[in-house]
Amino acid sequence: MENKNESRRDFITHTSRMVITAGLATIAGSKTAVSAKDKKPALGKSTMTIQVDISDPANTALQLKGGAIYIENPSEKDRPIIIYRKGENEATAFSSKCTHKGGLVGLPGIDGIAICGLHKAAYDTNGEVTKGPAKENLTKFETVIKDGIIQITI
């Protein structure tokens, strides 16, 4: 069912972007390094680092501020991680699993808002709720950019 406040063009654009980026995420997932981290795990959970090479053609969207991609989440295979490039030396990474009913959250658009496909909950580029029905923020991961590599600790 289409949202009355969303034009057909916006709906098609948003849906197309999700399909394209999901395809790119599949490609990027095969070129993403995952390694164990020497940090102490919190509450008995193991910690690992995912490394995403910004120069890799599959990650082209991350070369510019405002770019975003999905990458495979080793902890939750059915819900990729969203990486959003905030600036030259800043990126954020957060879960794409909506905190309302578990739907897939789309990539942030040019307005910086990521929308869940199920019930239209909205999140900003930090994974924080901007519009319900979700009440909790998305899980956020520690992110560092170093030497053209985005390192995400999960």
PDB file of all heavy atoms in Angstrom, residues 120-143:
ATOM      1  N   LYS A 120       7.301   2.508   7.237  1.00  0.00           N
ATOM      2  CA  LYS A 120       7.809   3.872   6.999  1.00  0.00           C
ATOM      3  C   LYS A 120       8.438   4.548   8.211  1.00  0.00           C
ATOM      4  O   LYS A 120       8.483   5.774   8.280  1.00  0.00           O
ATOM      5  CB  LYS A 120       6.708   4.778   6.421  1.00  0.00           C
ATOM      6  CG  LYS A 120       6.028   4.233   5.184  1.00  0.00           C
ATOM      7  CD  LYS A 120       6.997   4.069   4.057  1.00  0.00           C
ATOM      8  CE  LYS A 120       6.254   3.597   2.805  1.00  0.00           C
ATOM      9  NZ  LYS A 120       7.051   2.795   1.943  1.00  0.00           N
ATOM     10  N   ALA A 121       8.940   3.793   9.183  1.00  0.00           N
ATOM     11  CA  ALA A 121       9.721   4.399  10.262  1.00  0.00           C
ATOM     12  C   ALA A 121      10.937   5.041   9.614  1.00  0.00           C
ATOM     13  O   ALA A 121      11.471   4.529   8.623  1.00  0.00           O
ATOM     14  CB  ALA A 121      10.157   3.342  11.278  1.00  0.00           C
ATOM     15  N   ALA A 122      11.382   6.176  10.150  1.00  0.00           N
ATOM     16  CA  ALA A 122      12.494   6.909   9.545  1.00  0.00           C
ATOM     17  C   ALA A 122      13.629   7.083  10.556  1.00  0.00           C
ATOM     18  O   ALA A 122      13.396   7.266  11.753  1.00  0.00           O
ATOM     19  CB  ALA A 122      12.008   8.265   9.045  1.00  0.00           C
ATOM     20  N   TYR A 123      14.858   7.023  10.028  1.00  0.00           N
ATOM     21  CA  TYR A 123      16.064   7.146  10.844  1.00  0.00           C
ATOM     22  C   TYR A 123      17.014   8.123  10.169  1.00  0.00           C
ATOM     23  O   TYR A 123      17.080   8.200   8.937  1.00  0.00           O
ATOM     24  CB  TYR A 123      16.768   5.790  10.966  1.00  0.00           C
ATOM     25  CG  TYR A 123      15.909   4.705  11.577  1.00  0.00           C
ATOM     26  CD1 TYR A 123      15.076   3.917  10.786  1.00  0.00           C
ATOM     27  CD2 TYR A 123      15.935   4.467  12.947  1.00  0.00           C
ATOM     28  CE1 TYR A 123      14.294   2.915  11.350  1.00  0.00           C
ATOM     29  CE2 TYR A 123      15.154   3.461  13.511  1.00  0.00           C
ATOM     30  CZ  TYR A 123      14.337   2.696  12.700  1.00  0.00           C
ATOM     31  OH  TYR A 123      13.565   1.708  13.254  1.00  0.00           O
ATOM     32  N   ASP A 124      17.823   8.839  10.976  1.00  0.00           N
ATOM     33  CA  ASP A 124      18.811   9.747  10.409  1.00  0.00           C
ATOM     34  C   ASP A 124      20.107   8.989  10.123  1.00  0.00           C
ATOM     35  O   ASP A 124      20.166   7.765  10.282  1.00  0.00           O
ATOM     36  CB  ASP A 124      19.024  10.973  11.310  1.00  0.00           C
ATOM     37  CG  ASP A 124      19.663  10.637  12.659  1.00  0.00           C
ATOM     38  OD1 ASP A 124      20.221   9.522  12.848  1.00  0.00           O
ATOM     39  OD2 ASP A 124      19.608  11.512  13.540  1.00  0.00           O
ATOM     40  N   THR A 125      21.153   9.719   9.742  1.00  0.00           N
ATOM     41  CA  THR A 125      22.419   9.081   9.354  1.00  0.00           C
ATOM     42  C   THR A 125      23.234   8.582  10.540  1.00  0.00           C
ATOM     43  O   THR A 125      24.328   8.056  10.359  1.00  0.00           O
ATOM     44  CB  THR A 125      23.274  10.035   8.503  1.00  0.00           C
ATOM     45  OG1 THR A 125      23.510  11.225   9.260  1.00  0.00           O
ATOM     46  CG2 THR A 125      22.586  10.373   7.198  1.00  0.00           C
ATOM     47  N   ASN A 126      22.702   8.715  11.745  1.00  0.00           N
ATOM     48  CA  ASN A 126      23.305   8.113  12.930  1.00  0.00           C
ATOM     49  C   ASN A 126      22.494   6.908  13.391  1.00  0.00           C
ATOM     50  O   ASN A 126      22.777   6.328  14.431  1.00  0.00           O
ATOM     51  CB  ASN A 126      23.398   9.136  14.074  1.00  0.00           C
ATOM     52  CG  ASN A 126      24.423  10.192  13.778  1.00  0.00           C
ATOM     53  OD1 ASN A 126      25.529   9.893  13.352  1.00  0.00           O
ATOM     54  ND2 ASN A 126      24.048  11.440  13.980  1.00  0.00           N
ATOM     55  N   GLY A 127      21.433   6.571  12.632  1.00  0.00           N
ATOM     56  CA  GLY A 127      20.574   5.449  12.995  1.00  0.00           C
ATOM     57  C   GLY A 127      19.568   5.810  14.075  1.00  0.00           C
ATOM     58  O   GLY A 127      18.960   4.931  14.667  1.00  0.00           O
ATOM     59  N   GLU A 128      19.371   7.111  14.310  1.00  0.00           N
ATOM     60  CA  GLU A 128      18.428   7.552  15.341  1.00  0.00           C
ATOM     61  C   GLU A 128      17.051   7.791  14.740  1.00  0.00           C
ATOM     62  O   GLU A 128      16.920   8.333  13.642  1.00  0.00           O
ATOM     63  CB  GLU A 128      18.952   8.819  16.019  1.00  0.00           C
ATOM     64  CG  GLU A 128      20.254   8.552  16.766  1.00  0.00           C
ATOM     65  CD  GLU A 128      20.873   9.786  17.385  1.00  0.00           C
ATOM     66  OE1 GLU A 128      20.288  10.888  17.301  1.00  0.00           O
ATOM     67  OE2 GLU A 128      21.980   9.650  17.934  1.00  0.00           O
ATOM     68  N   VAL A 129      16.016   7.389  15.478  1.00  0.00           N
ATOM     69  CA  VAL A 129      14.626   7.522  15.020  1.00  0.00           C
ATOM     70  C   VAL A 129      14.277   8.994  14.813  1.00  0.00           C
ATOM     71  O   VAL A 129      14.516   9.825  15.682  1.00  0.00           O
ATOM     72  CB  VAL A 129      13.640   6.908  16.037  1.00  0.00           C
ATOM     73  CG1 VAL A 129      12.202   7.129  15.586  1.00  0.00           C
ATOM     74  CG2 VAL A 129      13.911   5.438  16.234  1.00  0.00           C
ATOM     75  N   THR A 130      13.709   9.298  13.633  1.00  0.00           N
ATOM     76  CA  THR A 130      13.200  10.646  13.378  1.00  0.00           C
ATOM     77  C   THR A 130      11.687  10.639  13.203  1.00  0.00           C
ATOM     78  O   THR A 130      11.054  11.681  13.289  1.00  0.00           O
ATOM     79  CB  THR A 130      13.846  11.272  12.120  1.00  0.00           C
ATOM     80  OG1 THR A 130      13.542  10.471  10.990  1.00  0.00           O
ATOM     81  CG2 THR A 130      15.349  11.404  12.286  1.00  0.00           C
ATOM     82  N   LYS A 131      11.128   9.448  12.935  1.00  0.00           N
ATOM     83  CA  LYS A 131       9.680   9.322  12.757  1.00  0.00           C
ATOM     84  C   LYS A 131       9.276   7.883  13.065  1.00  0.00           C
ATOM     85  O   LYS A 131       9.926   6.943  12.621  1.00  0.00           O
ATOM     86  CB  LYS A 131       9.314   9.672  11.311  1.00  0.00           C
ATOM     87  CG  LYS A 131       7.837   9.553  10.994  1.00  0.00           C
ATOM     88  CD  LYS A 131       7.567   9.855   9.527  1.00  0.00           C
ATOM     89  CE  LYS A 131       6.249   9.270   9.120  1.00  0.00           C
ATOM     90  NZ  LYS A 131       6.261   8.666   7.825  1.00  0.00           N
ATOM     91  N   GLY A 132       8.209   7.729  13.837  1.00  0.00           N
ATOM     92  CA  GLY A 132       7.695   6.416  14.214  1.00  0.00           C
ATOM     93  C   GLY A 132       7.073   5.700  13.034  1.00  0.00           C
ATOM     94  O   GLY A 132       7.048   6.216  11.938  1.00  0.00           O
ATOM     95  N   PRO A 133       6.656   4.486  13.274  1.00  0.00           N
ATOM     96  CA  PRO A 133       6.288   3.903  14.551  1.00  0.00           C
ATOM     97  C   PRO A 133       7.444   3.370  15.394  1.00  0.00           C
ATOM     98  O   PRO A 133       7.241   3.039  16.562  1.00  0.00           O
ATOM     99  CB  PRO A 133       5.341   2.770  14.163  1.00  0.00           C
ATOM    100  CG  PRO A 133       5.777   2.356  12.799  1.00  0.00           C
ATOM    101  CD  PRO A 133       6.279   3.615  12.154  1.00  0.00           C
ATOM    102  N   ALA A 134       8.658   3.290  14.866  1.00  0.00           N
ATOM    103  CA  ALA A 134       9.783   2.808  15.679  1.00  0.00           C
ATOM    104  C   ALA A 134      10.035   3.777  16.831  1.00  0.00           C
ATOM    105  O   ALA A 134       9.896   4.990  16.676  1.00  0.00           O
ATOM    106  CB  ALA A 134      11.035   2.676  14.818  1.00  0.00           C
ATOM    107  N   LYS A 135      10.424   3.216  17.978  1.00  0.00           N
ATOM    108  CA  LYS A 135      10.709   4.040  19.153  1.00  0.00           C
ATOM    109  C   LYS A 135      12.175   3.953  19.575  1.00  0.00           C
ATOM    110  O   LYS A 135      12.657   4.785  20.320  1.00  0.00           O
ATOM    111  CB  LYS A 135       9.809   3.622  20.316  1.00  0.00           C
ATOM    112  CG  LYS A 135       8.335   3.927  20.087  1.00  0.00           C
ATOM    113  CD  LYS A 135       7.504   3.483  21.264  1.00  0.00           C
ATOM    114  CE  LYS A 135       6.040   3.781  21.227  1.00  0.00           C
ATOM    115  NZ  LYS A 135       5.338   3.973  20.056  1.00  0.00           N
ATOM    116  N   GLU A 136      12.872   2.930  19.083  1.00  0.00           N
ATOM    117  CA  GLU A 136      14.276   2.728  19.450  1.00  0.00           C
ATOM    118  C   GLU A 136      15.180   2.972  18.250  1.00  0.00           C
ATOM    119  O   GLU A 136      14.805   2.698  17.108  1.00  0.00           O
ATOM    120  CB  GLU A 136      14.495   1.305  19.959  1.00  0.00           C
ATOM    121  CG  GLU A 136      13.749   1.006  21.245  1.00  0.00           C
ATOM    122  CD  GLU A 136      13.962  -0.424  21.702  1.00  0.00           C
ATOM    123  OE1 GLU A 136      15.060  -0.975  21.462  1.00  0.00           O
ATOM    124  OE2 GLU A 136      13.031  -0.991  22.288  1.00  0.00           O
ATOM    125  N   ASN A 137      16.380   3.465  18.522  1.00  0.00           N
ATOM    126  CA  ASN A 137      17.373   3.706  17.480  1.00  0.00           C
ATOM    127  C   ASN A 137      17.905   2.379  16.934  1.00  0.00           C
ATOM    128  O   ASN A 137      17.832   1.350  17.612  1.00  0.00           O
ATOM    129  CB  ASN A 137      18.535   4.529  18.029  1.00  0.00           C
ATOM    130  CG  ASN A 137      18.100   5.901  18.503  1.00  0.00           C
ATOM    131  OD1 ASN A 137      17.110   6.452  18.029  1.00  0.00           O
ATOM    132  ND2 ASN A 137      18.839   6.463  19.442  1.00  0.00           N
ATOM    133  N   LEU A 138      18.451   2.428  15.730  1.00  0.00           N
ATOM    134  CA  LEU A 138      19.096   1.256  15.143  1.00  0.00           C
ATOM    135  C   LEU A 138      20.404   0.981  15.880  1.00  0.00           C
ATOM    136  O   LEU A 138      21.011   1.889  16.452  1.00  0.00           O
ATOM    137  CB  LEU A 138      19.396   1.507  13.658  1.00  0.00           C
ATOM    138  CG  LEU A 138      18.181   1.735  12.763  1.00  0.00           C
ATOM    139  CD1 LEU A 138      18.628   2.201  11.381  1.00  0.00           C
ATOM    140  CD2 LEU A 138      17.338   0.482  12.663  1.00  0.00           C
ATOM    141  N   THR A 139      20.845  -0.264  15.862  1.00  0.00           N
ATOM    142  CA  THR A 139      22.128  -0.619  16.464  1.00  0.00           C
ATOM    143  C   THR A 139      23.232   0.066  15.670  1.00  0.00           C
ATOM    144  O   THR A 139      23.316  -0.081  14.449  1.00  0.00           O
ATOM    145  CB  THR A 139      22.338  -2.145  16.444  1.00  0.00           C
ATOM    146  OG1 THR A 139      21.270  -2.763  17.147  1.00  0.00           O
ATOM    147  CG2 THR A 139      23.667  -2.531  17.055  1.00  0.00           C
ATOM    148  N   LYS A 140      24.075   0.810  16.362  1.00  0.00           N
ATOM    149  CA  LYS A 140      25.165   1.544  15.718  1.00  0.00           C
ATOM    150  C   LYS A 140      26.488   0.841  16.021  1.00  0.00           C
ATOM    151  O   LYS A 140      26.672   0.296  17.101  1.00  0.00           O
ATOM    152  CB  LYS A 140      25.202   2.983  16.242  1.00  0.00           C
ATOM    153  CG  LYS A 140      26.141   3.873  15.484  1.00  0.00           C
ATOM    154  CD  LYS A 140      25.986   5.329  15.920  1.00  0.00           C
ATOM    155  CE  LYS A 140      26.986   6.201  15.191  1.00  0.00           C
ATOM    156  NZ  LYS A 140      26.873   7.589  15.586  1.00  0.00           N
ATOM    157  N   PHE A 141      27.391   0.858  15.036  1.00  0.00           N
ATOM    158  CA  PHE A 141      28.684   0.203  15.182  1.00  0.00           C
ATOM    159  C   PHE A 141      29.805   1.241  15.154  1.00  0.00           C
ATOM    160  O   PHE A 141      29.722   2.238  14.428  1.00  0.00           O
ATOM    161  CB  PHE A 141      28.905  -0.814  14.055  1.00  0.00           C
ATOM    162  CG  PHE A 141      27.805  -1.837  13.964  1.00  0.00           C
ATOM    163  CD1 PHE A 141      26.858  -1.773  12.958  1.00  0.00           C
ATOM    164  CD2 PHE A 141      27.695  -2.854  14.903  1.00  0.00           C
ATOM    165  CE1 PHE A 141      25.828  -2.704  12.872  1.00  0.00           C
ATOM    166  CE2 PHE A 141      26.680  -3.790  14.824  1.00  0.00           C
ATOM    167  CZ  PHE A 141      25.741  -3.715  13.814  1.00  0.00           C
ATOM    168  N   GLU A 142      30.853   0.984  15.919  1.00  0.00           N
ATOM    169  CA  GLU A 142      32.021   1.865  15.943  1.00  0.00           C
ATOM    170  C   GLU A 142      32.658   1.876  14.551  1.00  0.00           C
ATOM    171  O   GLU A 142      32.896   0.818  13.957  1.00  0.00           O
ATOM    172  CB  GLU A 142      33.022   1.360  16.983  1.00  0.00           C
ATOM    173  CG  GLU A 142      34.254   2.222  17.107  1.00  0.00           C
ATOM    174  CD  GLU A 142      35.250   1.644  18.106  1.00  0.00           C
ATOM    175  OE1 GLU A 142      34.834   0.955  19.053  1.00  0.00           O
ATOM    176  OE2 GLU A 142      36.446   1.876  17.906  1.00  0.00           O
ATOM    177  N   THR A 143      32.935   3.069  14.049  1.00  0.00           N
ATOM    178  CA  THR A 143      33.442   3.212  12.683  1.00  0.00           C
ATOM    179  C   THR A 143      34.618   4.185  12.648  1.00  0.00           C
ATOM    180  O   THR A 143      34.545   5.263  13.229  1.00  0.00           O
ATOM    181  CB  THR A 143      32.320   3.743  11.761  1.00  0.00           C
ATOM    182  OG1 THR A 143      31.181   2.907  11.904  1.00  0.00           O
ATOM    183  CG2 THR A 143      32.743   3.740  10.308  1.00  0.00           C
TER     184      THR A 143
END
